[in-house]
Amino acid sequence: MSFVIVLIILSTNLLLQPSTIVVSLEFTRDDFPSDFIFGSGTSAYQVEGAASEDGRTSSVFDTLSLGSRSGGFTGEVACDEYHKYKEDVQLMVDLGLDAYRFSISWSRVIPNGRGPINQKGVEYYNNLINELISNGIQPHATLVHWDHPQALQDAYGGWTNQQIVRDFTTFADVCFKEFGDRVLYWTTVNEPNFIAPIFYKSSPYIAAHHLLLGHASVVNLYREKYQATQNGTIGLNVYTSWFIPEKSTQEDLDATERVANFRIGWFVHPLIFGDYPDIMKQSLGRRLPSFTEYETKLVNSSFDFIGVNCYTASVVTDDPGKDGMAANYIDKDVGGVFVQGVLEYFKRVYGNPPIYIHENGFRTFRNASLDDTSRIHYLNASMGSLLAAARNGSNVRGYFQWSFLDLFEIDGGYTYGFGFYYVDFNNHDLERSPKRSAHWYSTFLKGQRSRHNGIIHQMDNSTFMS
Ligand code: FCB
């Protein structure tokens, strides 16, 4: 096998101008460890639709979609996977996926967040899980993909109130009991480091603290009550970027360290070391909650794996005037190498924990042409970088492309898509059609050689974390 990456930076000003990168990669699936999992993902509100059907109530994600960010679109119907899951599982079979990452809507299973269970909701996820398993596809389930019930937000302020820890644990208990005989990969929360600043602009550190305690309480429950018999694994997901200094000055290097700690360390440091990073404690003082001795024990080591979402690199500049982390960062196209950059960071700073890349993907304008060569180049470069990291000793266990279908995105609704499948929202049946990237991934998954030479273009203004 030959594995070659040639990066030619054509732009003279690396830091200010979009760069164009010529990439040539060659690898096959056999180059990855034989038990490495390849999948693709979605989340409940973004794909299911049926938002007001069979007893489901609204979540904070529904509410967020009513704002201007999504351009007037919502997930009320989305891709209607709630009704079309059988068809979608067949498409997964066509693709050759090992695994499907989806999330369970809390407000579908327990409308209003607490109280009686909605059997229709339980039935839906049982059907989906059974359909996946009978088609040889592993279910990887997330309990909260941004979408805790709006009722809990209204009742007590959602994650700002410690009461949610108990309600979240009860919801998780229902999921483990109902689905845990078949679901072996559980993620408690998707991107708590996005949820806290986006949904709780005035109290992100308090919300984050309860997200961590909720996560740890759920892991503790799983370990005490279910893991020995169900034999599954459980972890937390975080949004990441490969943070790199704009200049190699001490100021920018220190700023990069701070940003990585404020963004990734905020959640990962407590899981590995039982406390927040010193840098955060020093600069935030009493604004950052502290862990009691009991909480430290609960949070420390509360994971079997860490789920990592990574889409890009970010260039960091020092900004002493900026409250908290005293730095700014902006997304930067550096080709696929950021995947290895993130994985090397986890290896160096956090002792190489088991990792699943839960999300990596490329946004394009959604159009019916089905020719998404730019996505192929992006994925090819990312997966090449993933392979380089695995070869360099990273403890990475799997890779999920975002997203399986073009679905509802909070930024722009249905204007953009990340999907392998185009969804025709004008067609009554929401017909799905495979893009070129679907054929490409399928060819790779089915063991044939992937070979692409071409140009990766600058990602279009996607700043997922501001
Ligand atoms: C991530 C989210 C996912 C999707 C992608 C584009 O931050 O986890 O739901 O919207 O961004």
Side-chain angles (χ1 to χ4, degrees), residues 3 33 38 68 95 103 163 252 272 285 299 321 325 331 340 360 363 365 377-378 395 411 415 432 451 466:
F3 174 67
F38 283 99
S68 58
L95 264 183
S103 75
Q163 277 190 56
D252 281 1
I272 308 277
V299 169
M325 67 187 176
D331 289 359
Q340 187 176 7
N360 169 249
R363 183 170 90 155
F365 277 106
H377 291 313
Y378 174 95
N395 197 359
D411 288 319
T415 317
R432 284 92 157 113
R451 183 176 304 162
S466 48

Side-chain angles (χ1 to χ4, degrees), residues 97-162:
L97 298 186
D98 299 329
Y100 180 49
R101 175 176 181 255
F102 62 96
S103 75
I104 297 176
S105 162
W106 182 347
S107 59
R108 196 183 284 292
V109 171
I110 306 181
N112 300 318
R114 48 190 172 169
I117 297 170
N118 175 21
Q119 284 311 326
K120 284 272 186 194
V122 171
E123 191 182 310
Y124 169 66
Y125 292 108
N126 266 328
N127 289 341
L128 172 64
I129 292 163
N130 291 341
E131 191 70 15
L132 289 166
I133 289 183
S134 61
N135 282 282
I137 296 170
Q138 283 176 6
H140 288 231
T142 298
L143 295 170
V144 170
H145 194 111
W146 304 0
D147 60 342
H148 67 275
Q150 182 63 40
L152 299 185
Q153 191 62 32
D154 297 341
Y156 54 62
W159 291 107
T160 55
N161 193 314
Q162 190 152 357

Side-chain angles (χ1 to χ4, degrees), residues 46 145-146 190-191 309 311 359 402 409 418 464:
Q46 294 176 275
H145 194 111
W146 304 0
N190 177 75
E191 295 184 347
N309 294 355
Y311 288 86
E359 290 182 22
W402 182 271
E409 289 290 348
F418 287 76
F464 300 112

Side-chain angles (χ1 to χ4, degrees), residues 25-331:
L25 296 178
E26 194 178 321
F27 53 83
T28 73
R29 185 179 181 147
D30 291 342
D31 296 319
F32 288 84
S34 57
D35 55 355
F36 199 91
I37 295 168
F38 283 99
S40 181
T42 62
S43 89
Y45 182 67
Q46 294 176 275
V47 76
E48 282 176 5
S52 316
E53 225 176 295
D54 287 346
R56 181 188 182 275
T57 65
S58 190
S59 77
V60 293
F61 206 160
D62 302 45
T63 310
L64 186 66
S65 78
L66 300 176
S68 58
R69 198 166 169 168
S70 51
F73 297 104
T74 74
E76 184 72 26
V77 177
C79 307
D80 200 25
E81 188 161 276
Y82 187 72
H83 296 109
K84 296 171 83 71
Y85 68 93
K86 285 194 177 181
E87 184 186 320
D88 284 347
V89 172
Q90 282 319 303
L91 298 180
M92 294 173 208
V93 173
D94 292 350
L95 264 183
L97 298 186
D98 299 329
Y100 180 49
R101 175 176 181 255
F102 62 96
S103 75
I104 297 176
S105 162
W106 182 347
S107 59
R108 196 183 284 292
V109 171
I110 306 181
N112 300 318
R114 48 190 172 169
I117 297 170
N118 175 21
Q119 284 311 326
K120 284 272 186 194
V122 171
E123 191 182 310
Y124 169 66
Y125 292 108
N126 266 328
N127 289 341
L128 172 64
I129 292 163
N130 291 341
E131 191 70 15
L132 289 166
I133 289 183
S134 61
N135 282 282
I137 296 170
Q138 283 176 6
H140 288 231
T142 298
L143 295 170
V144 170
H145 194 111
W146 304 0
D147 60 342
H148 67 275
Q150 182 63 40
L152 299 185
Q153 191 62 32
D154 297 341
Y156 54 62
W159 291 107
T160 55
N161 193 314
Q162 190 152 357
Q163 277 190 56
I164 199 167
V165 172
R166 196 191 52 209
D167 290 334
F168 181 39
T169 310
T170 305
F171 164 55
D173 199 5
V174 171
C175 292
F176 298 148
K177 181 163 165 283
E178 298 287 348
F179 315 124
D181 56 331
R182 286 150 294 149
V183 174
L184 302 182
Y185 299 87
W186 290 102
T187 301
T188 53
V189 184
N190 177 75
E191 295 184 347
N193 52 345
F194 178 92
I195 294 175
I198 295 298
F199 289 95
Y200 304 97
K201 289 192 171 55
S202 58
S203 47
Y205 301 110
I206 294 172
H209 200 66
H210 297 141
L211 280 155
L212 276 163
L213 296 180
H215 154 81
S217 162
V218 166
V219 172
N220 188 49
L221 168 79
Y222 187 66
R223 287 185 170 162
E224 289 193 340
K225 196 165 159 190
Y226 295 100
Q227 199 163 34
T229 49
Q230 297 186 342
N231 296 312
T233 54
I234 187 161
L236 179 70
N237 168 286
V238 283
Y239 181 89
T240 67
S241 183
W242 183 35
F243 294 109
I244 45 179
E246 184 190 38
K247 302 192 207 85
S248 31
T249 56
Q250 198 54 49
E251 285 77 16
D252 281 1
L253 289 167
D254 291 348
T256 304
E257 180 78 12
R258 286 196 301 278
V259 170
N261 274 282
F262 267 78
R263 285 292 167 259
I264 301 172
W266 188 12
F267 286 87
V268 176
H269 203 281
L271 260 57
I272 308 277
F273 304 112
D275 200 0
Y276 292 115
D278 283 343
I279 286 181
M280 289 188 76
K281 292 206 273 191
Q282 281 152 17
S283 70
L284 294 171
R286 291 178 56 191
R287 275 193 287 163
L288 190 68
S290 46
F291 293 104
T292 64
E293 210 175 301
Y294 169 76
E295 290 168 353
T296 293
K297 273 205 192 114
L298 198 68
V299 169
N300 198 343
S301 305
S302 60
F303 68 94
D304 299 320
F305 65 83
I306 294 175
V308 163
N309 294 355
C310 64
Y311 288 86
T312 185
S314 306
V315 173
V316 179
T317 47
D318 182 46
D319 181 356
K322 182 119 182 203
D323 182 45
M325 67 187 176
N328 294 309
Y329 60 92
I330 184 162
D331 289 359

